C-alpha cells in the first residue's frame, strides 16, 4: 500500500501519517525501488491503534508511552488518568453551568457578568451618583474577577453595610476630598468613621493581615487621588489591625 491508500483505509489523512513518521510514532516502512513507501497490513494495524487512542483523548506523547511496550506505561494507567481528567472537566463544566443559570435568571449588569454573590450585594446597594461609590463598585468587580470565587463570603458579609443608608453620606464626604491634600483635617475623622462602619462579620471572613496597602491593596490605592488615598490607606491599616486583634483573641 502507498501512503494515500493506508491513510484512506484507516481513516486518517496522508499528512497525519507523515507527521507520525516525523515524530517517530509510526516507523517508516521500507521503500520500493521507485522511492515510494510500501506499507503492510502490520503498519495499518499500528496506524489504526494510534487513531483509536487519539480519538479517546490521549495526547501523542501518551500514545507513545502506550506503544512503547515494556519501556512505557500500561494502557490501563494512561486510560485511568484520562478518565480522572475528564471527570474533573465534567465537574468544572457543571459548576460553570450552575453559575450561568443563576446569571441568566436576572438582567445582566452593565459591568457584568458578575458572580451571584457580588450581584446579590450590588442589588441591595442604594442608587447613588457618588464617584467614590462607583469606584468602590469597580474594585469589588476586580476582586470578584481576580479572586476565583474567594470573595463570596466577603460579599455576603458586606450586605448589611451596603444596605445602610448612612454609608452614602460617607461616600459623599470621600468625594469632597477629591482635590484635597494629604494634610486635610477631614481625613482622620472620615477614616475612623469608615473603619467603625465595617461590621465584625466582615472581619471574620477577611484573612489575617488583610486588607493591606500592598499587592492588591496597592493597586486600589493607586486608583485614588492623594487625600482619598490617605483615607483608604488608613482604613486598610486599621482594619488589618482589627483582624489581627480578633485572631489573637481566638488563639488560646
Amino acid at each position: 500500500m502507498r501512503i494515500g491508500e493506508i491513510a484512506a483505509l484507516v481513516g486518517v489523512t496522508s499528512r497525519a501519517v507523515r507527521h507520525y513518521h516525523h515524530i517517530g510514532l509510526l516507523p517508516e516502512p521500507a521503500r520500493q525501488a521507485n522511492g515510494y513507501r510500501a506499507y503492510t497490513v502490520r503498519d495499518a494495524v499500528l496506524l489504526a491503534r494510534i487513531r483509536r487512542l487519539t480519538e479517546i483523548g490521549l495526547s501523542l506523547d501518551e500514545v507513545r508511552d502506550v506503544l512503547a511496550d515494556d519501556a512505557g506505561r500500561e494502557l490501563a494507567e494512561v486510560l485511568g488518568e484520562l478518565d480522572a481528567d475528564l471527570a474533573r472537566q465534567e465537574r468544572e463544566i457543571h459548576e460553570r453551568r450552575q453559575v450561568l443559570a443563576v446569571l441568566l435568571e436576572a438582567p445582566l449588569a452593565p459591568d457584568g457578568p458578575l458572580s451571584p454573590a457580588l450581584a446579590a450585594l450590588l442589588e441591595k446597594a442604594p442608587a447613588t451618583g457618588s464617584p467614590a461609590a462607583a469606584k468602590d463598585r469597580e474594585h469589588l468587580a476586580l476582586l470578584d474577577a481576580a479572586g476565583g470565587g474567594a470573595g463570596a463570603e466577603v460579599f455576603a458579609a458586606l450586605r448589611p453595610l451596603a444596605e445602610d443608608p448612612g454609608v452614602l453620606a460617607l461616600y459623599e464626604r470621600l468625594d469632597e476630598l477629591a482635590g484635597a491634600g494629604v494634610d486635610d483635617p477631614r481625613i482622620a475623622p472620615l477614616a475612623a468613621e469608615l473603619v467603625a462602619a465595617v461590621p465584625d462579620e466582615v472581619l471574620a471572613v477577611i484573612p489575617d493581615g488583610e486588607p493591606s496597602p500592598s499587592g492588591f491593596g496597592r493597586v486600589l490605592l493607586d486608583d485614588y487621588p492623594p487625600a482619598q488615598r490617605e483615607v483608604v490607606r488608613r482604613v486598610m491599616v486599621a482594619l488589618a489591625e482589627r483582624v489581627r486583634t480578633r485572631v489573637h483573641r481566638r488563639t488560646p
Side-chain angles (χ1 to χ4, degrees):
M1 289 181 288
R2 293 186 178 179
I3 189 168
E5 293 171 327
I6 190 175
L9 177 63
V10 176
V12 298
T13 65
S14 298
R15 182 177 180 182
V17 177
R18 293 190 184 94
H19 179 63
Y20 296 155
H21 287 323
H22 178 71
I23 63 175
L25 193 59
L26 182 67
E28 285 269 4
R31 290 181 180 267
Q32 298 175 327
N34 58 10
Y36 289 111
R37 297 182 181 92
Y39 293 92
T40 65
V41 172
R42 178 171 295 180
D43 295 321
V45 170
L46 179 56
L47 182 58
R49 192 179 185 202
I50 293 172
R51 177 191 169 184
R52 287 196 302 271
L53 292 172
T54 56
E55 283 180 343
I56 62 176
L58 269 65
S59 70
L60 293 181
D61 285 339
E62 289 171 328
V63 172
R64 189 193 312 278
D65 278 344
V66 171
L67 299 180
D69 295 326
D70 294 340
R73 295 187 294 164
E74 292 290 338
L75 176 59
E77 178 186 353
V78 176
L79 293 181
E81 292 179 359
L82 175 62
D83 183 63
D85 186 57
L86 290 175
R88 176 189 58 77
Q89 294 181 46
E90 189 175 40
R91 289 193 302 270
E92 291 177 353
I93 291 173
H94 178 67
E95 292 170 359
R96 290 169 61 187
R97 291 197 66 194
Q98 286 183 314
V99 172
L100 285 174
V102 173
L103 293 175
L104 290 171
E105 287 180 356
L108 290 177
D111 49 359
L114 305 174
S115 70
L118 180 54
L121 171 66
L122 297 180
E123 183 182 0
K124 296 296 182 180
T128 176
S130 164
K135 191 183 297 290
D136 210 15
R137 180 185 178 114
E138 291 177 352
H139 294 165
L140 289 173
L142 177 59
L143 175 63
D144 190 41
E153 288 185 326
V154 176
F155 298 150
L158 282 172
R159 287 186 64 173
L161 187 61
E163 297 170 353
D164 184 355
V167 173
L168 294 182
L170 296 177
Y171 276 131
E172 291 172 358
R173 289 168 59 187
L174 188 59
D175 290 331
E176 294 170 359
L177 290 173
V182 293
D183 56 349
D184 193 289
R186 295 171 291 178
I187 290 176
L190 177 57
E193 290 185 48
L194 285 169
V195 171
V198 178
D200 288 340
E201 289 75 14
V202 176
L203 300 181
V205 294
I206 296 179
D208 188 16
E210 295 294 340
S212 171
S214 61
F216 185 79
R218 171 58 59 188
V219 174
L220 302 189
L221 286 175
D222 289 344
D223 200 27
Y224 289 97
Q228 291 181 342
R229 183 186 308 129
E230 179 60 19
V231 171
V232 177
R233 186 194 68 79
R234 292 188 183 205
V235 171
M236 287 183 176
V237 172
L239 288 180
E241 181 58 33
R242 281 180 60 185
V243 171
R244 284 193 293 270
T245 301
R246 184 184 182 90
V247 171
H248 294 159
R249 286 175 181 172
R250 293 200 308 263
T251 304

